[in-house]
Amino acid sequence: MSTSEVAVIPVRIGDASMELEYKLRTRQASLGVIGLGYVGLPLALTFSRAGYAVTGLDVDSKRVAALSAGHSYITDVSDSDIAHALKERRLIPTTDMDQIAGLDVVTICVPTPLRKTKEPDLSYIMAAIDAITQRLRRGQLIVLESTTYPGTTEELVLPKLQETGLKVGKDFFLAFSPERVDPGNQNYSTQKIPKVVGGTTPRCSELAALLYGECVDQVHVVSSTRVAEMVKLLENTFRSVNIALVNEIALMCSHTGIDVWEVIQAAATKPFGFMPFYPGPGLGGHCIPIDPIYLLWKARADGFPLRFIDLADEINSSMPRTMTIRAMELLNQQGIAFKGARVHILGVSYKRDISDTRESPALEIMKLSLTAGAIVSYSDPFVPALTLQGRDFHSLPVAAEVLRSCDLAIIVTDHSQFDYECIVNHAPLVFDTRNATNGLQAENVVRG
Ligand SMILES: NC(=O)c1ccc[n+]([C@@H]2O[C@H](COP(=O)([O-])OP(=O)(O)OC[C@H]3O[C@@H](n4cnc5c(N)ncnc54)[C@H](O)[C@@H]3O)[C@@H](O)[C@H]2O)c1
């Protein structure tokens, strides 16, 4: 439906949902995104590209200052994207939470980490909800996008918002819509990934579906916020369990001298019933290692054991240690003690072509190697510097002299910018945990 067609829809004055619907259809709605990180910033720009004015709210004043100056800190978002949105007045970055009062829609994209005890840490969500509750007014749509366990929107967020005396479904509207962005994936931007939406009431679902329907290619409405919350956890648990399975199969293959990569390649020729997952040095990022634990926590709280998640977590978490032990064995076979050996890590972000190092297995491998007495260095075009165990490290270029001066190079993250031929030609020994050197014939390479 075009904007001119919808501009004539009848609006009953005083009907909060009709007024919001009208504003959404005519692009007069002012949208807000709380949390401008890997999820929130691309989302804000997707809204802005659809023609809405978007206020981006973040507590991190450095991030807000960078955006206001036209600088992006997210690999998938370019400076020119930011500059364009700023120029059109379709992106207004701010730390001022009072702006919430003037918004018609507020989406929440704040972190949902784990506490040290492996319990969900919902403090960021609750801080954002507090900021909204203080300013909630009739006609606002609130959408939680942060990944969380089923029941969060209904049991924690809704009661807090209703403390204002406003009624959901009548005065304000509430929905959950899981964010499925895949940082670094050039094929699927926020706009192209179908959006799942579940509202607290049918009208909440309709309004949230309308919002996303105006901005992304496809919207799938589910019957409740709980279902929408569970969708995201199923997706990421599915990945975690399958990666654990293939990691365990890879260890068995390595033990028996079978090339697991060749096995997966052949199995993937089956056009049905098999989906390839690939082994690696362990899980990283803010999603796959964490989200299943949210589900596990909820299941335990409800007295229901989820055995697959525990097992997958055990296998995946042990991978960095397993890889470090293999690196020790490889050097040992060369007559080189790991203590004092020069180990060069290639790629420290948790996955290819992005700068995010959260939960990265590379950091764990570096820590374990340092503890075992190795002299550790690294190269990563996306991560210029990092601090580990109180020591500062700086990325070295992937150059012949750097590679020649190490005893072992470990490919932990297979960035497409790496010159694998140079790596294979100059490092005396290469341990490739990602099959990145596939196709390069070299006797000094061991694929793990
Ligand atoms: N990173 C991913 O690939 C990905 C993918 C899908 C879903 N998710 C989920 O999306 C959510 C956000 O993840 P992310 O990776 O974008 O996190 P992030 O750390 O990159 O960004 C979060 C932002 O929120 C800001 N923030 C924290 N508390 C705030 C508050 N009270 N008010 C305003 N701003 C606040 C932080 O300063 C930061 O800029 C998480 O629940 C995560 O599980 C992440």
Side-chain angles (χ1 to χ4, degrees):
M1 203 181 283
S2 75
T3 306
S4 57
E5 279 173 277
V6 295
V8 294
I9 58 164
V11 180
R12 255 180 286 134
I13 302 300
D15 182 330
S17 87
M18 290 293 281
E19 283 174 26
L20 179 58
E21 180 174 341
Y22 177 81
K23 283 184 179 177
L24 284 169
R25 289 192 189 280
T26 56
R27 303 292 189 275
Q28 291 172 46
S30 51
L31 313 189
V33 176
I34 301 187
L36 300 171
Y38 286 93
V39 161
L41 185 56
L43 180 70
L45 289 172
T46 305
F47 286 154
S48 132
R49 271 185 222 109
Y52 294 101
V54 184
T55 301
L57 299 124
D58 204 294
V59 286
D60 185 336
S61 53
K62 283 196 194 129
R63 287 195 155 186
V64 168
L67 292 177
S68 303
H71 301 310
S72 170
Y73 40 80
I74 303 280
T75 321
D76 291 339
V77 174
S78 69
D79 286 357
S80 64
D81 288 338
I82 305 285
H84 182 73
L86 290 173
K87 190 166 156 254
E88 300 282 310
R89 295 283 300 156
R90 294 223 186 103
L91 177 66
I92 304 140
T94 180
T95 55
D96 178 9
M97 295 295 153
D98 281 340
Q99 298 305 317
I100 291 170
L103 300 172
D104 297 302
V105 176
V106 186
T107 55
I108 303 161
C109 306
V110 295
T112 43
L114 288 171
R115 296 190 189 282
K116 283 208 172 84
T117 52
K118 285 210 159 192
E119 284 175 29
D121 177 358
L122 297 187
S123 60
Y124 298 88
I125 292 185
M126 294 322 288
I129 293 298
D130 264 357
I132 296 170
T133 305
Q134 288 168 34
R135 296 150 181 111
L136 190 70
R137 61 162 177 78
R138 278 188 84 248
Q140 285 183 317
L141 166 65
I142 313 299
V143 187
L144 180 59
E145 292 223 4
S146 299
T147 308
T148 183
Y149 60 80
T152 306
T153 309
E154 210 174 287
E155 293 160 15
L156 296 180
V157 175
L158 178 61
K160 198 91 195 117
L161 294 174
Q162 293 208 127
E163 278 174 13
T164 55
L166 295 173
K167 201 167 165 13
V168 72
K170 179 171 169 283
D171 300 320
F172 74 95
F173 309 93
L174 177 63
F176 183 85
S177 179
E179 184 51 62
R180 299 158 121 183
V181 71
D182 182 17
N185 188 330
Q186 302 296 323
N187 298 323
Y188 290 100
S189 60
T190 302
Q191 188 197 325
K192 286 194 181 143
I193 303 169
K195 206 84 176 84
V196 169
V197 167
T200 305
T201 69
R203 190 59 179 144
C204 295
S205 293
E206 277 173 24
L207 289 167
L210 173 62
L211 162 72
Y212 292 110
E214 299 287 325
C215 308
V216 304
D217 294 351
Q218 205 185 322
V219 177
H220 182 93
V221 180
V222 294
S223 59
S224 67
T225 53
R226 267 172 203 275
V227 170
E229 288 159 339
M230 189 68 191
V231 168
K232 174 74 186 176
L233 296 189
L234 170 63
E235 289 168 5
N236 282 357
T237 300
F238 174 82
R239 278 189 67 73
S240 163
V241 167
N242 279 287
I243 292 169
L245 172 67
V246 83
N247 275 336
E248 198 169 47
I249 295 283
L251 295 177
M252 179 257 168
C253 283
S254 158
H255 183 70
T256 45
I258 296 170
D259 182 344
V260 72
W261 301 96
E262 192 183 347
V263 173
I264 297 168
Q265 193 185 16
T269 60
K270 189 178 176 187
F272 51 88
F274 182 83
M275 181 191 282
F277 282 83
Y278 299 97
L283 298 180
H286 186 31
C287 293
I288 314 290
I290 293 171
D291 301 351
I293 310 299
Y294 266 64
L295 185 54
L296 186 62
W297 179 87
K298 175 64 177 161
R300 282 198 180 131
D302 291 347
F304 192 92
L306 282 179
R307 287 167 295 162
F308 271 109
I309 295 181
D310 249 343
L311 181 60
D313 184 42
E314 188 186 316
I315 294 171
N316 290 328
S317 316
S318 70
M319 290 311 291
R321 181 171 291 277
T322 305
M323 292 294 151
T324 312
I325 292 169
R326 289 207 65 201
M328 288 176 182
E329 287 166 0
L330 291 175
L331 281 169
N332 195 36
Q333 283 158 13
Q334 306 291 314
I336 301 172
F338 200 72
K339 185 169 181 181
R342 287 155 302 171
V343 174
H344 189 66
I345 305 291
L346 291 155
V348 294
S349 61
Y350 81 88
K351 73 169 182 174
R352 181 194 301 175
D353 297 344
I354 63 163
S355 60
D356 193 351
T357 57
R358 289 178 293 182
E359 316 285 330
S360 175
L363 304 186
E364 191 60 23
I365 292 172
M366 285 177 81
K367 278 187 212 160
L368 289 166
S369 301
L370 286 167
T371 305
I375 300 159
V376 179
S377 54
Y378 85 93
S379 297
D380 192 313
F382 297 91
V383 186
L386 57 88
T387 304
L388 268 185
Q389 298 185 332
R391 285 176 53 187
D392 294 332
F393 293 82
H394 295 276
S395 175
L396 301 175
V398 182
E401 59 276 18
V402 170
L403 294 158
R404 271 199 297 266
S405 69
C406 72
D407 296 303
L408 173 68
I410 311 179
I411 301 171
V412 181
T413 306
D414 51 344
H415 290 308
S416 41
Q417 280 184 35
F418 283 151
D419 181 347
Y420 291 103
E421 221 166 302
C422 174
I423 292 167
V424 165
N425 286 341
H426 296 287
L429 182 61
V430 178
F431 179 27
D432 179 1
T433 68
R434 299 278 190 179
N435 200 29
T437 57
N438 181 29
L440 296 175
Q441 294 303 324
E443 289 192 348
N444 59 334
V445 178
V446 176
R447 294 189 181 97

